[in-house]
Amino acid sequence: MRIVVDLNRCQGYAQCVYLAHEVFRLSGQEALTYEPNPDDERRLQVERAAVACPVHAIVIDRLEGAERGGAS
Amino acid sequence: MTLPATVAELVRDFRANGRIVIVGASLAGLRAAEALREEGFTGSLTIIGDEPYEPYDRPPLSKQVLKGWVPADHTKLPRMREVDADWRLGVAATGLDRAAKQVRLADGEQVPYDRLLIATGTRARQWPNPTEAALQGVHTIRSRDDAARLRAALAEPPSRVLVIGAGFIGSEVASVCRELDIPVTVVERGSAPLVGALGGVIGEIAAQMQRDHGVDLRCTLGVSSLEGDSAGHVRRARLSDGTVVDADVVVASLGSIRNVEWLEGSGLAAGFWGVGCDAGGRAFDINGVVTDSIYVAGDVARAPHVLYEYEFLAMEHWDNAVFGAEVAAHNMVNLEPHYRPHLLVPGFWSGQFGVNIKSVGVPPFGDEIVFTQGSVAGRSFAAAYGHRGRIVAAVTFDHGKWLEHYGKLIERSAPFPPPPPGWDRPPDMKPMPAEFPEPGVPTEVPDVVLTGHAPSERTAEFRPRRH
Ligand SMILES: Cc1cc2nc3c(=O)[nH]c(=O)nc-3n(C[C@H](O)[C@H](O)[C@H](O)COP(=O)(O)OP(=O)(O)OC[C@H]3O[C@@H](n4cnc5c(N)ncnc54)[C@H](O)[C@@H]3O)c2cc1C
Ligand code: SF4
């Protein structure tokens, strides 16, 4: 699956890290890094993280699952 | 039909049957395409990109990708909605004929448009000596292929990496090297890392941070030449003070060049600092007259900003590409008085040496700086930039939660120094010179550049006076 975190918006609350630590990591106190195309198996975790993020910084692909013809 | 009714009918017809072409298939191009469909544009949409890949995100390339955590092909951008476009990937636009309203492609094809969006971004400035730049082991980083190559080189691992230029990207590369325990030398022409973007006061803190993490940082020095072995692999660099650094990987992070060459001869205001446009994204022609059918967004755009005395800003920031694309898309399918302005208070982030560096506003517009919160020694603080008694920007090190607060002060042109916060006050709150280098000097981007007026680009057609 594809995600992007708007790191201008992210405030390093680390909620996402608790909910999906394979996908989101903190480097130091508050610098968030993440896997932008995590395994589909992580979808539920990632969706939970996106909902839990207090500033709605995690954006998930809205087409996924749908057929993606070429670059669509 | 009355005139307004005719105009309304034209707009309706354009939204239903018009032809829009977007050149540049990256962050700005994709987000504009999505926004056009969101706005109800159902005509034909063509997206032209010279990279063979569908749009991907660049910021992770110099961070999690280089570190080896995320593969370089894992940054494809999530889609906000279906765009139903004709994608022409792997083919460059090579010319623009405004009279015929056609974009010329490298394969000879001409693509007609009613409205055009220019989103061709920037590319990495290469090491200036072509023979030395062609040595194996000499890298730049802008594309996902660049990142994949550099990642492979770091995995070897090299005996030492030399980073030329300590802007954000160069500093991030140095940080990754240290995390991977690779020896790294950073050579920077300016007085300190990040000095172009954040000034000398913050640059000094960044310098200390690099040295604490074991970076061999050499400032106010240049690299004079790179030398390779008989197999054509880079082995060492000669610095301007005569010293030699042995390194088998060299990363030139010398800033960027705007992709405007394909617009040559089009009569648009395109040049070194990008394509000039109004705050609504409408491109200017060379005479300063705004066009009706050509728009610009992202790294390649330069537009006046009310908060910064209408100076033309070129912003090589992620949020500028997203917001600028949305504004341009909206204006492409609407008419006055429904135009929207691109009035973004720019924001930027960079993760390096375990510290979250963020900024809001335009730091180089400031001439003074004051520490407002936290502790410099603890590398966890906020500082504000001022210009003529008002706050114009702020920077935080591991104090990101406060950025929004400063953003609001900047929007209101609140006084500088800003009122002291109730707590977390640093011992000294005296403003001091922010120590930016002379304006107009290209910096190691991504950055906001105050582009001002470029007399060297004076190509206007002056009209003879009639007697
Ligand atoms: C390594 C790296 C790290 C970054 N980190 C950060 C960060 O931490 N924070 C931040 O805010 N910003 C960061 N940025 C900046 C951010 O990525 C850019 O602001 C953003 O990519 C701009 O998007 P754009 O679509 O305007 O331009 P680009 O992403 O440059 O896209 C332009 C596209 O147009 C294509 N193109 C060019 N010429 C032609 C032509 N003639 N015909 C067809 N196609 C053409 C290009 O190949 C490219 O695909 C970083 C950039 C890089 C490279
Ligand atoms: S939960 Fe949201 S704000 Fe917190 S670290 Fe994750 S993305 Fe950032």
Side-chain angles (χ1 to χ4, degrees), chain B residues 240-262:
Chain B
S240 53
D241 64 351
T243 53
V244 169
V245 174
D246 289 321
D248 37 12
V249 167
V250 172
V251 183
S253 53
L254 303 167
S256 56
I257 297 180
R258 272 110 185 127
N259 293 319
V260 293
E261 292 77 3
W262 68 283

Side-chain angles (χ1 to χ4, degrees), chain A residues 7-8, chain B residues 23-30 48-51 56-63 88 91-94 105 119-123 141-143 168-169 172 259-260 262 297-301 315-322 347-351 446:
Chain A
L7 289 170
N8 290 299
Chain B
V23 184
S26 182
L27 183 60
L30 173 64
I48 299 159
D50 61 0
E51 293 186 84
Y56 59 88
D57 208 26
R58 296 180 202 275
L61 298 179
S62 54
K63 306 173 181 80
R88 306 285 179 84
V91 57
T94 51
L105 303 190
T120 43
T122 61
R123 62 181 182 274
I141 170 164
R142 177 84 198 169
S143 71
F168 280 108
I169 292 181
E172 286 176 1
N259 293 319
V260 293
W262 68 283
D299 278 12
V300 76
M315 300 189 247
E316 294 178 81
H317 289 181
W318 192 89
D319 63 347
N320 172 60
V322 173
F348 182 82
W349 81 90
S350 169

Side-chain angles (χ1 to χ4, degrees), chain B residues 31 126 132 152 182 200 211 216 227 235 237 319 339 433 440 466:
Chain B
R31 291 296 178 247
Q126 302 295 312
E132 294 172 14
I182 299 168
R211 294 197 168 109
D216 169 29
E227 292 168 19
R235 290 297 165 205
D319 63 347
Y339 288 145
R466 253 180 263 168

Side-chain angles (χ1 to χ4, degrees), chain A residues 7 10 30 34 37 62 72, chain B residues 64 74 79 82 356 358 400:
Chain A
L7 289 170
C10 164
E30 64 168 55
Y34 62 99
N37 293 172
R62 303 212 183 120
S72 184
Chain B
Q64 51 272 56
H74 267 216
R79 301 301 182 82
E82 201 73 63
N356 188 25
K358 288 186 142 191

Side-chain angles (χ1 to χ4, degrees), chain B residues 363-383:
Chain B
F365 200 79
D367 24 47
E368 286 183 290
I369 188 169
V370 64
F371 290 96
T372 46
Q373 286 174 294
S375 135
V376 171
R379 303 233 170 89
S380 168
F381 63 82

Side-chain angles (χ1 to χ4, degrees), chain B residues 256-307:
Chain B
S256 56
I257 297 180
R258 272 110 185 127
N259 293 319
V260 293
E261 292 77 3
W262 68 283
L263 296 169
E264 221 177 277
S266 67
L268 290 181
F272 184 79
W273 293 118
V275 185
C277 60
D278 74 359
R282 294 186 296 174
F284 286 125
D285 77 5
I286 233 161
N287 303 311
V289 178
V290 81
T291 61
D292 286 326
S293 53
I294 304 179
Y295 290 73
V296 201
D299 278 12
V300 76
R302 88 190 247 259
H305 199 305
V306 290
L307 267 183

